[in-house]
Amino acid sequence: MQLRSINPVNGKVIKKYTSDSDAAINKKIAQTHTAWLGWKETTHAERSSLLNKLAGVLKSRKDELAKLMALEMGKPLTQGIAEIEKCASVCEYYAANAAGDLKDQLIETEAKKSYVSFQPIGVVLAIMPWNFPFWQVFRFLAPALAVGNCGVLKHASNVPGCALAIEDMVKEAGFPPHVFQTLLVGSDKVNQIIENELIKAVTITGSTNAGKKVAEKSGSLLKKTVLELGGSDAYIILEDADLELAAETCVNSRLINAGQSCIAAKRFIVVKSVEKDFTQLFLQKMQSRKTGDPLNAITLVGPMARVDLRDELHKQVQHSIQKGAKCILGGEVLLGPHAYYPPTILTHVKKGMPAYDEELFGPVAAIISAKDENDAINIANSSVFGLGGAVFTKDKKRGEEIAATKLDAGSCFVNALVKSDPRLPFGGVKQSGYGRELGLFGLYEFVNIKTVYIA
């Protein structure tokens, strides 16, 4: 079997890669387990030094890596450079903080001494998507290496170049051989890899259906999982919102990475009294974002990653229109071998339409009308997803209460777009998965939280 890297701008094959054989898969996992036996004995200072070196490698190669992303999955260069800089920042964050966060925690009991110790567990399998082909991996890899674990990566089949580049950078930074390796395989090999006795845990970022399959297989073998799955983030615009700020923020969130982000804004729930004004501002700003060549430094919206994904999105748009949604911008596919889809706005979106009920993984915005604050919150929470959400209001106390206690999501922002941050835990609820990445809590997901008791 071969993996192919295809340029979404023109449909041309960039490069073909030979998939790893079963023997090669098992050999790589065994090599990484052997590497772990040494890596787990390293000090926090040694790990931190190498993580800082890895951050330096990322920064020195950011232009090259941004171009690779543009070619393999269509990300505009400026966004690609920002992604690589963020990968460097997560390495630096854990280099600076992991030692303190993983200190033994003394607990007073009848014992002479009792405490909690955090110990590495072994080789973690990471199953990662194409939309942020470096960041998704590094937000698993940096904390994994910081706690003393090792990793193998099953990356998305359309970004093998990015997957191999990560392995190459880990080597360049000076990490011991095989602490991290890429498995060049398709999804048909995932169950087999999970079954390998040397794989101790699994983390996946992907669709809800993929997450369920991974959780089912891993659960049958009693292997820990972290699932970061789909999202249909709701952004609530209340009657007292700064509409200029709200519209600008909402457009930026909806169109980042051509709308192909789990935490991109997707449903815009607008209180009726400001719906007309918000929609007009939103339309003006969406119209100004033109699609273009991702290798052009001024491009803000590139193509979608694959033609099949573009076609699936278009079907969701058409189906929503057939059910009564109004398309006020975009919604048309231009002929050609490319994967471009124009920034699109649907209004009059109601329950029963794909734009209301499903995740739209592309540059399509759904505007939903709400009677008032309570109605807006109920609409936001009616989704099966619960990854992120935002609320726009000039009353920050009101916004904080809604974000903290009213919205069913793993991350809730006030007057800002939802984003991941190395310092803050990231993950979802409901069909958006479970477990957390990043921050202090991301460190604790794949460690043995061990009680030590000395009489």
Side-chain angles (χ1 to χ4, degrees):
M1 179 182 169
Q2 284 189 327
L3 303 179
R4 296 190 306 163
S5 176
I6 299 174
N7 189 335
V9 170
N10 53 31
K12 293 182 178 179
V13 175
I14 300 167
K15 190 173 179 179
K16 297 178 181 178
Y17 300 80
T18 301
S19 298
D20 288 335
S21 65
D22 290 352
I25 293 168
N26 291 332
K27 181 180 178 181
K28 285 184 176 181
I29 294 172
Q31 287 174 330
T32 300
H33 173 74
T34 299
W36 173 69
L37 296 176
W39 182 245
K40 70 174 182 171
E41 301 298 333
T42 56
T43 65
H44 285 301
E46 290 171 312
R47 297 172 198 167
S48 293
S49 175
L50 288 170
L51 282 169
N52 279 324
K53 288 179 181 177
L54 183 53
V57 172
L58 282 157
K59 291 175 183 176
S60 70
R61 295 177 61 174
K62 63 184 180 181
D63 292 330
E64 161 207 340
L65 300 172
K67 183 177 179 181
L68 178 59
M69 279 187 276
L71 291 172
E72 282 204 316
M73 48 73 61
K75 190 185 299 288
L77 286 176
T78 53
Q79 294 178 29
I81 289 171
E83 179 171 336
I84 299 303
E85 290 173 343
K86 192 170 184 177
C87 293
S89 75
V90 77
C91 292
E92 292 168 339
Y93 171 80
Y94 283 110
N97 293 283
D101 291 341
L102 294 168
K103 271 185 181 177
D104 294 342
Q105 293 185 11
L106 289 170
I107 298 175
E108 291 293 331
T109 67
E110 298 79 9
K112 180 179 180 182
K113 183 180 181 183
S114 52
Y115 61 95
V116 176
S117 177
F118 303 97
Q119 298 298 317
I121 61 171
V123 180
V124 179
L125 167 64
I127 304 167
M128 292 294 150
W130 46 262
N131 57 336
F132 290 87
F134 288 94
W135 171 241
Q136 303 281 13
V137 177
F138 272 89
R139 75 184 193 200
F140 132 77
L141 184 59
L145 293 173
V147 303
N149 289 330
C150 290
V152 291
L153 169 66
K154 187 278 170 208
H155 217 325
S157 297
N158 60 323
V159 288
C162 294
L164 291 171
I166 296 169
E167 181 179 314
D168 183 60
M169 286 189 290
V170 172
K171 292 176 184 175
E172 185 180 339
F175 282 84
H178 307 134
V179 297
F180 171 80
Q181 293 195 83
T182 286
L183 305 177
L184 286 175
V185 296
S187 58
D188 60 312
K189 297 293 184 181
V190 167
N191 281 351
Q192 172 188 326
I193 296 167
I194 295 173
E195 288 170 358
N196 189 300
E197 64 180 4
L198 299 178
I199 296 295
K200 301 304 180 185
V202 186
T203 180
I204 177 173
T205 297
S207 69
T208 297
N209 286 336
K212 287 178 179 178
K213 291 176 182 176
V214 167
E216 180 181 11
K217 184 63 179 179
S218 302
S220 73
L221 298 165
L222 295 180
K223 296 187 179 184
K224 175 82 178 286
T225 52
V226 167
L227 311 180
E228 196 271 277
L229 308 178
S232 187
D233 286 11
Y235 280 35
I236 293 175
I237 294 88
L238 296 177
E239 73 285 345
D240 66 341
D242 179 335
L243 295 185
E244 176 66 32
L245 169 69
E248 181 70 18
T249 306
C250 289
V251 167
N252 288 340
S253 181
R254 176 64 288 204
L255 294 183
I256 189 169
N257 200 36
Q260 300 166 118
S261 170
C262 296
I263 53 167
K266 298 187 176 98
R267 296 178 297 141
F268 301 93
I269 304 168
V270 191
V271 170
K272 189 69 177 177
S273 60
V274 293
E275 183 181 5
K276 183 178 178 181
D277 290 341
F278 172 81
T279 300
Q280 185 176 11
L281 280 169
F282 191 80
L283 173 62
Q284 291 171 359
K285 293 177 184 297
M286 283 280 277
Q287 284 175 322
S288 70
R289 270 55 163 200
K290 307 296 183 184
T291 57
D293 185 347
L295 291 174
N296 188 326
I298 65 170
T299 295
L300 297 177
V301 185
M304 293 183 62
R306 300 198 311 261
V307 171
D308 63 307
L309 297 171
R310 188 272 315 275
D311 291 345
E312 181 181 342
L313 177 70
H314 187 54
K315 287 179 182 177
Q316 290 175 299
V317 169
Q318 290 180 311
H319 193 193
S320 297
I321 293 171
Q322 290 167 7
K323 286 180 167 285
K326 306 296 183 186
C327 183
I328 64 171
L329 181 69
E332 296 181 352
V333 177
L334 300 176
L335 294 177
H338 57 78
Y340 284 104
Y341 199 76
T344 297
I345 302 175
L346 299 176
T347 63
H348 296 80
V349 173
K350 301 184 184 303
K351 193 171 181 61
M353 300 177 184
Y356 188 104
D357 300 325
E358 301 172 9
E359 179 178 22
L360 299 182
F361 211 67
V364 179
I367 295 181
I368 302 169
S369 180
K371 294 191 292 288
D372 52 27
E373 176 186 312
N374 288 335
D375 189 35
I377 293 169
N378 289 334
I379 293 169
N381 290 338
S382 67
S383 173
V384 298
F385 298 107
L387 193 56
V391 58
F392 290 84
T393 171
K394 290 177 183 174
D395 185 339
K396 291 184 179 179
K397 185 176 180 181
R398 177 191 189 189
E400 182 180 353
E401 182 181 0
I402 292 170
T405 67
K406 305 295 185 183
L407 292 178
D408 297 335
S411 298
C412 295
F413 285 52
V414 180
N415 295 330
L417 58 83
V418 179
K419 61 183 178 180
S420 56
D421 184 307
R423 299 163 294 185
L424 297 170
F426 179 78
V429 296
K430 300 192 286 188
Q431 296 293 295
S432 291
Y434 54 71
R436 291 296 181 265
E437 298 176 292
L438 301 175
L440 172 67
F441 298 96
L443 279 178
Y444 292 162
E445 288 288 357
F446 294 127
V447 292
N448 175 9
I449 303 174
K450 180 186 285 188
T451 293
V452 180
Y453 186 101
I454 303 166

